[in-house]
Amino acid sequence: MEVLAALALRSGLRDRATASHTTAMGSYGGAYSFKLQRLLARSGINLVANPFANLNLQGRFDAYPKRRGLTQVKEMLAAGVNVAFGHDDVMDPWNALGTANPLQTALVGLYAAQLTGADEIPVAYSMVTDRAARILGLTASEYGIAEGAAGSFVVLPAPTPQEAVRRQVRPRYVVAHGRVVAETPPAPTLLTWPGEPPAEVDFGRPPGESP
């Protein structure tokens, strides 16, 4: 990481360089980590942590205390480094339960990196959306909701990013280049109380909003 960051800084490559996994950073001592954080921030390099594969594979031969195998996500974010979450493996020997769902990645990642504060959960959501788009070098015309953009997006039945991650909602619509390519009809949830008729509950509706 130190060599890569130094080369990215000296060559001018900067944010066009990205390091993935970087699991060794989860075992570095405090003094070296402090040095590395400053270097990475200066270099402009990006990091991608892959919580599924990292938590599953790293530290398998450790006794206790067992290393968690994840890079220094929280510390690097605090240092100003752009960090994103990736999925990496999908239905293979390293992650037999993978679904390639970014919301699932964000959920596992925020728990693993302890990004569970009220102001940190939206950051975890951005790590599978905006921050990831920055790493891919996508421009405003290629990513985001704006006039003249590509028109590719996902509609989630949730009022906030936190609710989308918490409830792991399924996309209501998937739109690619202005065309709906997938649709998931809403599935109503009925609550039944003794002596009362079943009542439909919409967990995607903001509190206090009428049906």
Side-chain angles (χ1 to χ4, degrees):
M1 278 303 306
E2 186 174 355
V3 173
L4 179 62
L7 289 173
L9 179 61
R10 293 171 184 170
S11 66
L13 197 60
R14 298 183 65 80
D15 61 358
R16 287 175 290 168
T18 300
S20 183
H21 293 286
T22 64
T23 53
M25 289 170 60
S27 301
Y28 292 161
Y32 184 67
S33 294
F34 179 74
K35 170 189 175 182
L36 193 59
Q37 289 163 16
R38 290 165 60 89
L39 175 59
L40 291 180
R42 286 183 59 200
S43 73
I45 197 173
N46 304 288
L47 297 180
V48 177
N50 300 284
F52 292 106
N54 298 159
L55 290 171
N56 183 37
L57 297 178
Q58 302 302 313
R60 276 182 170 264
F61 296 101
D62 287 0
Y64 286 92
K66 186 183 291 286
R67 289 172 295 176
R68 306 176 76 230
L70 206 67
T71 194
Q72 298 179 21
V73 172
K74 199 167 186 173
E75 293 77 9
M76 290 300 166
L77 286 170
V81 178
N82 184 37
V83 187
F85 284 136
H87 200 298
D88 194 32
D89 303 290
V90 180
M91 295 182 65
D92 62 13
W94 296 275
N95 185 11
L97 304 177
T99 62
N101 183 350
L103 289 180
Q104 188 183 48
T105 305
L107 180 67
V108 174
L110 72 85
Y111 275 117
Q114 298 175 336
L115 296 169
T116 53
D119 58 340
E120 294 174 325
I121 294 174
V123 176
Y125 180 84
S126 75
M127 291 170 68
V128 296
T129 53
D130 298 331
R131 288 179 174 271
R134 283 170 54 190
I135 291 177
L136 293 174
L138 298 178
T139 64
S141 64
E142 298 170 308
Y143 182 84
I145 305 298
E147 184 177 354
S152 298
F153 55 90
V154 175
V155 178
L156 300 175
T160 64
Q162 178 168 335
E163 282 299 288
V165 175
R166 183 180 75 87
R167 294 191 289 107
Q168 294 290 286
V169 296
R170 299 178 65 184
R172 182 70 179 87
Y173 298 101
V174 178
V175 181
H177 301 288
R179 186 173 67 89
V180 176
V181 296
E183 178 179 351
T184 302
T189 298
L190 299 179
L191 294 183
T192 303
W193 297 92
E196 298 288 339
E200 182 177 336
V201 177
D202 184 357
F203 292 102
R205 185 181 299 121
E209 183 179 297
S210 300

